[in-house]
Amino acid sequence: MAEAKPGMRKPVFTKVDQLRPGTTGHTLTVKVVSTKMVLQKGRPDGPQVRQMRIAECLIGDETGMIVFTARNDQVDLMKPDSTVILRNAKIDMFKGSMRLAVDKWGRVEVTEPASFTVKEDNNLSLVEYELVNVVEE
């Protein structure tokens, strides 16, 4: 039982400045700079009313910053100045800019405070991308 499962592998931690549009499966250690609630509404799902919450969080590491879209329970974990590990994060494109998100296949974990300071002059969400389809003949 001491053997590791064959499907498990060590996580490769990515830095914020290495993120590119349309990529998935990122594992990052980041600090939360700020959090802003953008949507909070109740959804009638049968007997209990379930809250749907979405917050935009500015997160970053020593290489740059990006907007993270936190949903429902993730909103509670994204407190300013806390350090979190995002596992299996993906890049979503919203109005031509990159957003980081973690869906049901990923995890958001609060960890001990990191020693780095966030590089606030390199916000990747302010870079506008135009996705172009290339047809190979």
Side-chain angles (χ1 to χ4, degrees):
M1 286 302 252
E3 298 173 27
K5 294 181 197 169
M8 300 295 276
R9 58 175 208 238
K10 287 275 187 211
V12 177
F13 285 87
T14 309
K15 295 292 181 191
V16 171
D17 67 345
Q18 297 172 321
L19 299 174
R20 299 289 174 257
T23 55
T24 59
H26 302 292
T27 302
L28 301 101
T29 302
V30 292
K31 274 189 183 174
V32 181
V33 177
S34 65
T35 302
K36 184 176 102 182
M37 186 71 75
V38 291
L39 178 74
Q40 182 168 3
K41 65 179 183 181
R43 280 196 347 221
D45 260 358
Q48 78 273 20
V49 175
R50 217 169 82 200
Q51 283 281 357
M52 187 171 127
R53 297 181 299 163
I54 297 177
E56 288 182 347
C57 311
L58 208 48
I59 61 171
D61 60 14
E62 67 272 13
T63 64
M65 304 171 63
I66 192 165
V67 172
F68 174 75
T69 305
R71 299 177 180 276
N72 301 329
D73 296 340
Q74 297 171 357
V75 175
D76 301 327
L77 302 173
M78 304 302 281
K79 303 251 183 296
D81 294 327
S82 64
T83 303
V84 293
I85 296 177
L86 306 176
R87 297 190 188 276
N88 202 14
K90 62 179 182 172
I91 298 291
D92 287 333
M93 297 304 289
F94 179 72
K95 294 183 179 174
S97 65
M98 292 195 302
R99 304 280 175 102
L100 200 60
V102 174
D103 58 12
K104 64 182 177 180
W105 305 112
R107 287 179 59 176
V108 177
E109 307 167 356
V110 177
T111 185
E112 63 271 357
S115 57
F116 59 79
T117 55
V118 176
K119 183 176 181 184
E120 298 194 20
D121 60 350
N122 185 19
N123 188 341
L124 295 182
S125 293
L126 296 179
V127 178
E128 192 169 322
Y129 289 88
E130 183 176 350
L131 299 179
V132 179
N133 294 327
V134 177
V135 180
E136 293 186 28
E137 296 181 24

